[in-house]
Amino acid sequence: MKLTCKLYVAACLPIAAALVVGGCAGGNNAAGGDPWARADQITGSIREPDIPGRAFRLADFGGTGDGITDNREAFIRAVSACREAGGGRLLVEAGHYLVNGPIHLTSHMELHLEEGSRIFFGSEPEDYLPVVPTSWEGTRCYNYSPFIYAYELTDVAITGRGEIDGEGARPWNRWKDLQGADQRLIRRMNNEAVPPEERIFGRGHFLRPHLIQFYGCQRILVEGVHITDAPFWCLHTVYSRDIIIRGVTYDAHNLNNDGIDPESCENVLIEDVTFNNRDDNIAIKAGRDLEARSLGIPARNIVVRDCRFKGHNAIAVGSEMSGGVHDVYVEDCTFAGTVMYGFYLKGNRDRGGEVRDIYARNLEFDTTRSTIIIDSNYKSEGSCCPPLFKNIYVENVRARMATEQGIYLKGFSERPLDSIFIRNVEITSARIPMEVTETDHLVLEDVVINGQLQQPAPPETGLIKTVSPETGREVWQITKGDDPSVACYFEGQAFTGDERYLVYSSLRTGKWMLYRVELETGVQEPLTFAEREINGDDYTVMPDGERVCYLDGWEMYANRVETGEEELLFDFKGHLPAPPRFTGSFTNDGRYTMVFISGDTLKAIYRTDLETGEVLEVHRRTEGRISHPLINPEDPRVISYVPGPDTQNDMTLPMEKRARTWKVDLDAGTDRQFLTVPYGFRATHESWSHDGSRFFFFRKTRPGWSPVAICSMDKAGGDLRVHFESDTIRLGHGVSSRDGRWFISDSQEPGSNELVLVNLESGEAQVLCRPDASITEGHDAFAHVHPSFSPGGNYVAFTSDRTGTPQVYVVPVGDLTGSGVYAQAADPEVGKRTFFTNGE
């Protein structure tokens, strides 16, 4: 058994708590509580058809139930009369009614089959022409008419105790072997965006028609009837809403005789149905491939309960699910016989799409091939668009035997299955108990297969603890492997407020995702969902010390580090002209944050008030660029930024053209030069102190970068201080501790650099260790050390590629008493020099 899953961060929680966590991440349970209350809301909102009380007897229109007479014209006359009268019940009395061609229903109509009645259909394909709009295996087209067809109707029903027999074995089963060319053609038309009106099948083609199809309808009821032997799918609802299917029974054994296929439908109740089908009993679908991804019409709000399964698959989602499937609730179902797969979610790389918020409980099976299966690689087809399965909850499942896997979970490395919760499952016998690959956030609780309690793969644990040979100080290597992992940019915060967790980003799945590590145990777990598109070091733990914040396109998200719960903080679409970038800059109360746009034609900085939703543009330019915009942690009216291009190295320019940093003062209404160093020097990598009173930066000699000094000035641009100087170490990035006593800095000598801790009160410094990062390929290589303090000052995090791949490291500095190998105090006249000007 190959088990390569990642344990969900809530694995230690009770399942009820885990359900609430997952619901918050997925969508419909953001307020917490019992997710099954949503199922009651759905069923309570479904409206039944409004059918007038008048009745029409098929016999009055020439209907004859002798099993020989063709009743096609009788049905046409009866339906026409019903339409002209404004609707009613069409009664089919006991007898056998042959129909050579389709029955097209009308609005406000109930087709009622009395007990002992049987409608069966002829086998001549020409009788089902002309072609009509339909959907075939998830692609819109024009094809042979379904045998009972409702197109864009309202209030329509099929009821009674009679039988609907497709007589599907002749000639339709033979078409299965002939359909290959048409199947490939319709899929090519889909993916080449051929207009649906040009996808004409029918005569000369071999795409089998459905037995019953409701296309684009509202308020549908199918109740009580017995369905046998369809030419293709039995009961197909597509692009429809408010659907009730109740008390139906099946004996449908032709090829591809799915029982019920709700496709891109919403508000659906399926209850008290007894299946005996050769294919899927229930297959929830949402179209396929490019067309469905473009249309984006999901299947949603679907409740299945009190059903009995027998056939190919009991409950399936997909494989046509490209438009998305969500909010599905399956409960209290058992078996009428053997099924191949019990609970089966399927997609592949042709599909794309997202399946989320799927809940199943109280399911019982006898023999299955696999009891619970989620497969992202169904039939191993496609290459472009891996699907996403997330927030799947399965509990209280019993099965006697699984001839293959008891539980089979398969995602892709670039899009793992995400947040799978399985609780209270007992499978008496399974050849392979569990097979799990590429699955993030997996929770197993009370899962017993072959009498043994099943556990997910243990989470990654353990820190590589070494001692710096230069200083004797302990250094913890947090990450390892061949995939880059990085700590956040030094302006951001990598640690939670209680210093229990460090948050880092990694490319280990092929895209940047955020992870947490518990520093005491070394347990490492993912924090962000696989579909998020984030920047590698562009995140920060928020001022509350509990949530990590990041951007995904237009949207700003926060994930609670302890539980993994995700929330949407802000959607910038409609507020900004382009998706923003993020520096991790917040005010200490967490109310204000800063984003910016750095495009070809527009560069702008925006302050966002997360409490009121106000997005305020504080600076705009059409040339050059913008970098390092920061909001003062205690004063949201003060914003600093660096304009570009950086002209500091051009010593021929006047001082007013060489400003490193400008400052926006919203109270004063000014946007002016803030930090300028004299000729022969340049300033880099600014940061505000935690209390917002001082503005730190590095003053470097040009050329050469050394001597270098760590300097600061107050918020107004005065009280200029030199805290530390070095003639030998080329200091580069750093920040002050929250208590204002310490400063941590890296150096920028490729392959041979120090991590330096400075006492801001005494000016003394010590080297903590030698990161030895290459730092030769710019920020895109993520080799820069970019050190930062934990909130309490007990740890320093940094990045280094000393192993050949960027990895995350931590240095414990809680004692701050170890003797380093380097100590060079600043001038005792610290703060009194005037070797630079603030540009005021």
Side-chain angles (χ1 to χ4, degrees), residues 372 394 397-398 422-427 445-448:
I372 299 170
V394 184
V397 177
R398 298 290 179 269
I422 302 175
R423 173 185 181 267
N424 192 20
V425 172
E426 184 176 355
I427 302 171
E445 181 180 323
D446 296 329
V447 175
V448 178

Side-chain angles (χ1 to χ4, degrees), residues 488-559:
C488 58
Y489 202 76
F490 69 91
E491 297 159 350
Q493 176 56 256
F495 299 85
T496 54
D498 58 7
E499 298 188 334
R500 179 181 175 184
Y501 299 107
L502 166 74
V503 177
Y504 66 89
S505 61
S506 177
L507 262 178
R508 64 185 60 172
T509 65
K511 64 185 302 184
W512 289 109
M513 290 179 58
L514 295 181
Y515 296 79
R516 75 169 201 192
V517 56
E518 188 173 30
L519 294 175
E520 182 176 345
T521 65
V523 172
Q524 305 193 31
E525 296 158 331
L527 280 177
T528 52
F529 294 112
E531 74 270 23
R532 294 281 162 255
E533 300 287 345
I534 67 175
N535 264 332
D537 59 355
D538 202 7
Y539 65 90
T540 187
V541 174
M542 295 176 65
D544 62 15
E546 298 178 351
R547 295 173 296 168
V548 59
C549 180
Y550 54 91
L551 280 173
D552 176 5
W554 293 95
E555 297 171 329
M556 177 176 283
Y557 288 91
N559 281 41

Side-chain angles (χ1 to χ4, degrees), residues 24 31 36 46 125 129 227 239 272 275 363 388 424 432 461 657 690 719 721 727 735 752 783 829-830:
C24 293
W36 286 94
I46 297 174
L129 296 175
I227 297 174
Y239 307 138
D272 190 26
F275 294 93
L363 307 181
L388 174 66
N424 192 20
I432 303 173
T461 60
K657 298 290 186 180
H690 184 69
D719 189 23
R721 301 180 185 177
D727 294 330
V735 289
S752 177
E829 298 295 305
V830 62

Side-chain angles (χ1 to χ4, degrees), residues 98-174:
L98 169 65
V99 186
N100 288 321
I103 300 171
H104 287 194
L105 305 178
T106 190
S107 293
H108 304 287
M109 173 187 173
E110 177 182 345
L111 175 61
H112 182 78
L113 281 66
E114 294 185 348
E115 190 168 0
S117 65
R118 170 175 171 257
I119 296 174
F120 66 103
F121 291 88
S123 302
E124 178 54 55
E126 288 290 325
D127 290 339
Y128 300 92
L129 296 175
V131 296
V132 298
T134 185
S135 173
W136 200 89
E137 284 195 341
T139 298
R140 294 177 297 170
C141 66
Y142 285 76
N143 193 32
Y144 291 100
S145 173
F147 290 4
I148 298 179
Y149 182 58
Y151 180 69
E152 295 187 347
L153 303 182
T154 58
D155 302 293
V156 60
I158 302 172
T159 66
R161 295 296 176 184
E163 178 181 349
I164 300 172
D165 185 352
E167 284 279 297
R170 301 183 311 226
W172 313 108
N173 274 0
R174 295 195 298 272

